[in-house]
């Protein structure tokens, strides 16, 4: 199995690049943000609980998202590997993910961390908010809260994987194709060293 985490702040391009990477490397895409938005659309109890936090740019409780990932892993026993997008976002989530993957006799192979300046993040998200219908993109104050949550709780998750030398930083500024190429180069390098 080959498992990767696409890491980075809100608006850094995780979703955009994930779509391209899963197609190229035949990985199963697990985006906690997408799963939560689907729960909201379906009007589930979980969706209702998550919505008010997401609308304020705050993280959903660890137990909720860990449960979602556990269930997604169980429902995809034949996956060649997973691309985690927007997860893990806290150290508790990172520890839980390590344990869940260990149960499947696998682990994270690489963490690709996208780096984008704050002004570019805000610009991208405000721009998407004009058309996306995403309630957390609509104003700068909510976008600011999402970036603060990232800085306070999520940025440190990279340290968890740095200890085991799995993090590679990539500039997330430039064209989508340029960034995709850099991500592919890192993955291919890692796949070669696995053989
Ligand atoms: P989530 O859905 O994970 O959103 P996010 O991390 O805020 O990320 P975004 O989807 O906004 O950005 P992205 O990095 O994927 O960039 P994208 O490719 O979309 O989380 C939403 C909420 O759910 C959280 O706030 C939290 O409440 C909750 N949640 C989710 N996971 C959780 C967890 N694990 N624990 C607790 N709570 C959780 O690109 C953004 C825009 O930029 C797009 O318009 C795109 O077209 C554009 N763009 C992309 N690349 C480029 C480029 N190279 N140049 C110019 N524009 C670009």
């Amino acid at each position: 199995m080959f498992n990767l985490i696409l890491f980075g702040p809100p608006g850094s391009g995780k979703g955009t690049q994930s779509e391209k990477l899963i197609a190229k490397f035949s990985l199963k895409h697990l985006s906690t943000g997408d799963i939560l938005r689907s729960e909201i659309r379906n009007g589930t109890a979980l969706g209702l609980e998550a919505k008010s936090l997401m609308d304020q740019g705050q993280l959903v409780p660890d137990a909720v998202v860990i449960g979602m990932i556990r269930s997604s892993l169980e429902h995809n026993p034949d996956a060649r590997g997973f691309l985690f997008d927007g997860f893990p976002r806290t150290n508790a989530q990172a520890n839980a993910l390590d344990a869940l993957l260990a149960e499947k006799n696998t682990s994270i192979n690489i963490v690709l961390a996208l780096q984008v300046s704050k002004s570019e993040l805000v610009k991208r998200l405000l721009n998407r908010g004009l058309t996306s219908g995403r309630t957390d993109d609509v104003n700068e104050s909510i976008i600011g809260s999402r970036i603060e949550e990232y800085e306070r709780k999520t940025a440190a998750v990279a340290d968890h994987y740095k200890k085991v030398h799995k993090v590679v930083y990539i500039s997330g500024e430039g064209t989508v194709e340029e960034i995709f190429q850099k991500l592919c180069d890192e993955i291919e390098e890692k796949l070669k060293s696995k053989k």
Side-chain angles (χ1 to χ4, degrees):
M1 266 188 134
F2 186 82
N3 303 304
L4 84 92
I5 295 173
L6 198 52
F7 191 75
S12 56
K14 302 183 297 294
T16 304
Q17 296 295 338
S18 289
E19 292 303 329
K20 296 170 71 67
L21 291 170
I22 55 161
K24 180 167 169 98
F25 295 101
S26 306
L27 299 172
K28 173 74 189 164
H29 185 198
L30 292 186
S31 157
T32 39
D34 286 351
I35 301 171
L36 288 165
R37 280 184 288 276
S38 140
E39 295 282 341
I40 292 172
R41 275 195 304 276
N42 293 330
T44 67
L46 192 158
L48 278 178
E49 182 190 348
K51 184 173 177 5
S52 61
L53 291 163
M54 290 169 76
D55 284 352
Q56 295 170 66
Q58 291 174 11
L59 294 187
V60 171
D62 286 336
V64 172
V65 285
I66 291 167
M68 286 171 7
I69 290 290
R70 179 184 294 114
S71 148
S72 299
L73 293 177
E74 280 165 9
H75 283 94
N76 289 282
D78 300 326
R80 291 179 58 184
F82 294 95
L83 187 164
F84 297 94
D85 160 8
F87 181 91
R89 261 172 147 102
T90 63
N91 279 321
Q93 293 179 23
N95 288 325
L97 179 60
D98 288 350
L100 287 169
L101 292 177
E103 279 172 28
K104 293 171 82 75
N105 294 316
T106 184
S107 62
I108 291 297
N109 296 90
I110 191 166
V111 178
L112 295 169
L114 294 169
Q115 293 184 299
V116 175
S117 69
K118 193 167 169 180
S119 58
E120 174 71 11
L121 297 174
V122 173
K123 192 174 90 184
R124 287 183 188 178
L125 294 175
L126 281 175
N127 188 38
R128 184 176 60 186
L130 298 174
T131 53
S132 68
R134 261 181 72 162
T135 45
D136 57 350
D137 282 345
V138 286
N139 71 52
E140 208 163 333
S141 146
I142 301 171
I143 291 170
S145 301
R146 288 163 64 195
I147 296 173
E148 264 171 43
E149 282 282 84
Y150 173 82
E151 286 165 352
R152 276 193 313 128
K153 300 178 182 166
T154 305
V157 171
D159 298 336
H160 176 95
Y161 294 102
K162 266 193 227 163
K163 285 185 204 144
V164 284
H165 311 292
K166 290 191 172 163
V167 182
V168 179
Y169 287 96
I170 306 267
S171 169
E173 296 195 36
T175 68
V176 168
E177 268 317 310
E178 281 164 357
I179 299 159
F180 178 60
Q181 195 51 55
K182 286 188 273 182
L183 294 167
C184 289
D185 290 348
E186 293 296 338
I187 294 169
E188 272 156 7
E189 195 61 32
K190 196 62 171 179
L191 283 168
K192 257 192 256 161
S193 69
K194 256 191 109 205
K195 280 184 186 155

